[in-house]
């Protein structure tokens, strides 16, 4: 069922010329089918357990990709560090500010 969702998503992306990745659309399609109870969890359980067991292998291409762009990353270390610190801090402060004005408080 997982492969069917992925193949369907690839066809949808190719035919519709959509600007989103086919695996993402496939996972959204699978999620919608599971939530709509069109397919049952037992049908995807064995495949999902296998994918989770080998999940670490899926990060190897990402690591190789990062190594290929080390020069670009080294040139923008300050910008990356600021983004990793400032954006989460701003988001936490904004959420805290909005939450403190809400009607639900402890």
């Amino acid at each position: 069922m997982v492969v069917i969702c992925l193949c369907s998503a690839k066809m949808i992306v190719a035919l519709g010329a959509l600007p989103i990745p086919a695996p993402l659309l496939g996972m959204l399609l699978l999620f919608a089918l599971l939530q709509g109870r069109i397919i049952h969890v037992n049908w995807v359980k064995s495949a999902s357990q296998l994918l989770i067991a080998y999940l670490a292998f899926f990060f190897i291409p990402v690591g190789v990709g990062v190594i290929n762009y080390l020069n670009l990353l080294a040139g923008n270390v300050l910008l990356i560090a600021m983004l990793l610190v400032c954006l989460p801090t701003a988001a936490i402060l904004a959420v805290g500010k909005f939450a403190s004005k809400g009607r639900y408080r402890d």
Side-chain angles (χ1 to χ4, degrees), residues 8 18 22 28 31 43-44 51 53 60 64 67 78 80-81 89 98 100:
S8 300
L18 299 175
L28 290 173
F31 178 73
W43 297 353
V44 296
L51 289 172
I60 292 172
V64 172
I67 290 172
L78 184 60
I80 293 170
T89 303
F98 289 128
S100 67

Side-chain angles (χ1 to χ4, degrees), residues 67-102:
I67 290 172
N68 285 335
Y69 292 102
L70 279 179
N71 293 337
L72 181 63
L73 292 172
N76 295 309
V77 164
L78 184 60
L79 176 64
I80 293 170
M82 284 179 23
L83 288 173
L84 289 175
V85 172
C86 294
L87 285 179
T89 303
I92 290 171
L93 290 173
V95 168
K97 186 71 170 171
F98 289 128
S100 67
K101 293 187 180 214

Side-chain angles (χ1 to χ4, degrees), residues 3-100:
V3 175
I4 292 171
C5 287
L6 178 61
C7 291
S8 300
K10 284 185 178 185
M11 287 176 48
I12 292 169
V13 167
L15 293 174
L18 299 175
I20 62 171
L24 176 63
L25 183 62
M27 286 294 112
L28 290 173
L29 181 62
L30 180 64
F31 178 73
L33 291 172
L34 285 168
Q35 288 297 316
R37 303 206 192 284
I38 297 169
I39 62 173
H40 300 285
V41 175
N42 294 335
W43 297 353
V44 296
K45 191 172 188 176
S46 62
S48 61
Q49 286 176 340
L50 181 70
L51 289 172
I52 290 171
Y54 294 107
L55 188 63
F57 292 117
F58 296 125
F59 290 101
I60 292 172
V62 175
V64 172
V66 168
I67 290 172
N68 285 335
Y69 292 102
L70 279 179
N71 293 337
L72 181 63
L73 292 172
N76 295 309
V77 164
L78 184 60
L79 176 64
I80 293 170
M82 284 179 23
L83 288 173
L84 289 175
V85 172
C86 294
L87 285 179
T89 303
I92 290 171
L93 290 173
V95 168
K97 186 71 170 171
F98 289 128
S100 67

